[in-house]
Amino acid sequence: MIKNVNIKNFRCFRNSNFKGFKRINLIGGKNNSGKTAFLEAIFFNTSPRPTSVELLRRFRQIDFSFMKEMPERAWDNLFYDKKTKEASLRLENEEGNNISLMLRCDEVVEDFVKFISEEDNDNKDDVKFQEIRELLSNKEAKRSTLHLEYKLNGEKGISASLIAYNKGLISKGINLPNPKYIHFIPSSFRVSSTALAEEFDKADLNGLSSRVLQAFQVIDAGITEVKTISIGQPSIYIRTSSNDFLPIGLFGDAINKVSYFILKMINNKNSILLIDEIENGIHYSAHAALWDRIFELAAAFNVQLFATTHSIEMIRAFNKVVADGRKDAGAYHEFFKHRKTQEITSNIHDPKTLLFELENNMAIRGE
């Protein structure tokens, strides 16, 4: 599990250190206090692939046309200092291993020149292939290269590069050994019915469908049965005590979101799960029962979770579950900007202290 994190020059972080992470971590703070960027840093470090860069772009809803119109500024949003354009993301896990990802932006394309020269000759007549060769040979072309370099315990590891130019992106990927799976669920994300059905079938094949049902019942106690039906588009169907089976899409955003992250926990042992604004769509009356289920599943499947929230009700429910015998498994982290240095930092609230602060309406969300 991740214990400590250092972020330099990435997004809104100039140089920030965060310590004391546990199995379940809830992060609160004001808008623009780095909560989402922190999740992105963990995601990027743990999955440093060109596809991860593209996912983060889509999660942030950055228009791809901007990258094509101004390729020389394609990666500016990744860096605190837009002039330096170098960043580092370092994680330390409970085994004492230091995992780092270095990001650097420039116009160097040597890696791609070598990569293209080694490509199979079968590509030599391909229009796209020729276009890339011309781009690399044209020193006047507007472009920018993002380099990713992965290191374990200081030893240079595998690297990847992406070039932004006026027609899109070119990437040279890496086959990075990944001992842990990582999944990022952004605040605005809604998974398709087909993807949900596939995840449910995985759990069902492993005899774990009852755990999914229990999670659904946290949101709606009247749910009695869950299964997938593939008439037309595959989908999860839900039966309640008063209805026949109905598609999951009719049950609202809360069921959709909860089912997805619960299934990710069940189907991916030894993983990391990142959830941005976990409270979205979930009624406050279900918060405590949901946290109880999350703690249970995280322990059973060895999942470490990082979630952000703006909700005082979600923080209160989380603290209740932690205080009731789970102090060693969960922690609430308050993100805020230091008044003097403006560096983003965090404060870990002890459950008893947090309870006192909640009961007295004290500031606990970066105020």
Side-chain angles (χ1 to χ4, degrees), residues 26 75 107 136 150 154 156 163 183 226 256 262 357 365:
L26 184 62
W75 315 114
E107 296 183 7
L136 296 177
Y150 175 86
K156 187 173 182 179
I163 294 180
H183 303 280
V226 182
N256 182 281
I262 291 297
E357 293 167 333
R365 290 176 289 176

Side-chain angles (χ1 to χ4, degrees), residues 302-352:
N302 192 30
V303 175
Q304 186 176 24
L305 182 142
F306 296 83
T308 70
T309 186
H310 290 288
S311 166
I312 195 70
E313 292 88 358
M314 185 60 84
I315 297 171
R316 184 175 287 112
F318 176 85
N319 194 59
K320 180 181 183 301
V321 172
V322 171
D324 291 344
R326 290 191 168 102
K327 183 177 179 180
D328 293 335
Y332 173 66
H333 306 258
E334 179 189 13
F335 275 31
F336 59 93
K337 290 185 178 180
H338 193 280
R339 291 181 179 177
K340 291 184 178 180
T341 65
Q342 291 300 298
E343 294 281 8
I344 295 174
T345 186
S346 69
N347 180 27
I348 302 175
H349 292 250
D350 175 85
K352 289 185 179 179

Side-chain angles (χ1 to χ4, degrees), residues 2 39-56 89 91 99-101 103 148-150 158 160 162 174-184 272 274:
I2 296 169
L39 299 186
E40 291 175 330
I42 294 177
F43 178 68
F44 217 167
N45 176 286
T46 313
S47 183
R49 296 171 170 83
T51 51
S52 299
V53 179
E54 175 60 15
L55 278 174
L56 294 186
L89 315 173
L91 310 182
I99 304 164
S100 68
L101 178 67
L103 292 78
L148 312 176
E149 186 178 293
Y150 175 86
I158 312 172
L162 298 92
I174 55 177
N175 183 21
L176 178 69
N178 193 2
K180 286 185 178 291
Y181 298 100
I182 185 159
H183 303 280
F184 192 133
I272 299 170
L274 312 171

Side-chain angles (χ1 to χ4, degrees), residues 82-131:
K82 305 298 188 293
K83 295 180 179 179
T84 304
K85 294 187 180 181
E86 290 187 1
S88 68
L89 315 173
R90 292 188 175 89
L91 310 182
E92 181 182 353
N93 60 26
E94 61 184 354
E95 290 82 22
N97 292 318
N98 288 286
I99 304 164
S100 68
L101 178 67
M102 311 300 293
L103 292 78
R104 187 180 76 260
C105 179
D106 54 35
E107 296 183 7
V108 177
V109 295
E110 277 74 11
D111 288 346
F112 275 91
V113 172
K114 181 180 179 182
F115 178 66
I116 290 296
S117 65
E118 294 174 351
E119 280 286 280
D120 193 318
N121 287 331
D122 291 342
N123 292 323
K124 64 182 181 180
D125 295 325
D126 183 83
V127 174
K128 183 71 174 179
F129 185 77
Q130 292 301 326
E131 180 182 292

